[in-house]
Amino acid sequence: MTSPQPAEPLLAPSLLAADFAHLADEAAAVASADWLHVDVMDAHFVPNLTIGLPVVQSLRRATDLPLDCHLMIDDPDRWAIGYAEAGARNVTFHVEAAADAVRTARSIRAAGSLVGLGVDRDTPLDPYLDLLPEFDTLLIMTIKAGFGGQTFIPKLLDKVRLARRHLQAGHLQLFVEVDGGIDEDTIVDAAQAGADVFVAGTAVYGADDPGKAVEALRAQARAAMP
Ligand code: DX5
Ligand code: ZN
């Protein structure tokens, strides 16, 4: 059986760790990235507040990088489609916040974007495996959603392993994205567990050269992916 994993890892720097006064420049600093990860937080689903649709619309005009919008918001059934219509490459909403995840997923896809299902730290994956054919991306938090700069939780890679086994058994094509605490010390384990999209905020924008940090992380992931 051929592996459903792509040959190449996708690196998605998170703008949460960038300078919000210079987002266009910060995007340009990671021009070799695959996706640009945009953390949308509403101070309800998570305690933190970041940016919303107007900023994403401006970003779309400011960079050619595909935007990977990670919605940590209540009521995604109402709001998520706007991000797809704004031209995001992928729109991920959280299963914990969705009243009707399948309906929301279908409306996002119909608006022309890939759609992702987000699973936070304390949420088991098993009950949602049957939903995965409705999605293009599965985002597994490797911290508690809400803030950058937290310490990676290795135990959460069990969900990545479960997802990868499930996808292989069902011949499903899906990106498996890890988010939180991904750096040069943790990306190898995440890649070996079966992830193929790697979000990194602090490890990229905290580096002297964010572009080089992306390249270094990509090389590590590529070497470690099964
Ligand atoms: C946190 C966000 C992450 C965050 C990761 O809820 O979803 O994308 O930016 O930041 P680091 O890489 O610093 O853990
Ligand atoms: Zn994120």
Side-chain angles (χ1 to χ4, degrees):
M1 188 180 84
T2 46
S3 165
Q5 278 187 259
E8 288 293 301
L10 302 187
L11 267 290
S14 169
L15 281 181
L16 187 61
D19 180 348
F20 273 30
H22 299 97
L23 289 179
D25 295 338
E26 298 284 59
V30 294
S32 69
D34 300 285
W35 291 354
L36 189 62
H37 188 82
V38 183
D39 289 301
V40 174
M41 306 189 192
D42 66 352
H44 288 273
F45 179 69
V46 290
N48 203 1
L49 180 66
T50 56
I51 57 173
L53 186 56
V55 177
V56 169
Q57 289 167 330
S58 293
L59 271 172
R60 181 61 291 151
R61 294 189 291 272
T63 178
D64 291 332
L65 282 171
L67 300 181
D68 175 30
C69 292
H70 177 193
L71 307 185
M72 287 160 276
I73 61 171
D74 280 346
D75 205 3
D77 310 272
R78 175 174 177 187
W79 299 111
I81 192 168
Y83 294 84
E85 288 170 348
R89 171 78 169 133
N90 180 73
V91 178
T92 289
F93 63 90
H94 269 263
V95 69
E96 302 88 1
D100 188 338
V102 169
R103 190 184 61 198
T104 302
R106 288 178 181 172
S107 68
I108 290 171
R109 269 185 173 169
S113 155
L114 300 181
V115 62
L117 186 71
V119 179
D120 204 355
R121 181 191 66 185
D122 300 328
T123 304
L125 176 59
D126 309 62
Y128 306 109
L129 289 173
D130 288 347
L131 300 186
L132 293 183
E134 300 282 346
F135 290 86
D136 305 291
T137 306
L138 173 65
L139 184 153
I140 296 176
M141 294 302 305
T142 38
I143 54 168
K144 173 77 178 159
F147 297 92
Q150 300 182 68
T151 303
F152 177 81
I153 303 169
K155 179 82 185 136
L156 297 178
L157 291 182
D158 287 348
K159 283 191 258 187
V160 175
R161 293 185 193 97
L162 171 62
R164 185 54 65 193
R165 281 198 307 273
H166 181 79
L167 299 183
Q168 282 172 340
H171 302 274
L172 281 173
Q173 290 278 0
L174 209 75
F175 292 114
V176 179
E177 183 170 14
V178 281
D179 185 4
I182 298 297
D183 61 19
E184 61 184 13
D185 294 324
T186 58
I187 196 167
V188 168
D189 285 349
Q192 287 175 343
D196 51 21
V197 183
F198 304 87
V199 177
T202 308
V204 169
Y205 284 107
D208 290 339
D209 185 334
K212 276 193 182 151
V214 168
E215 294 304 331
L217 289 168
R218 181 187 280 121
Q220 282 189 288
R222 185 185 287 135
M225 276 169 65

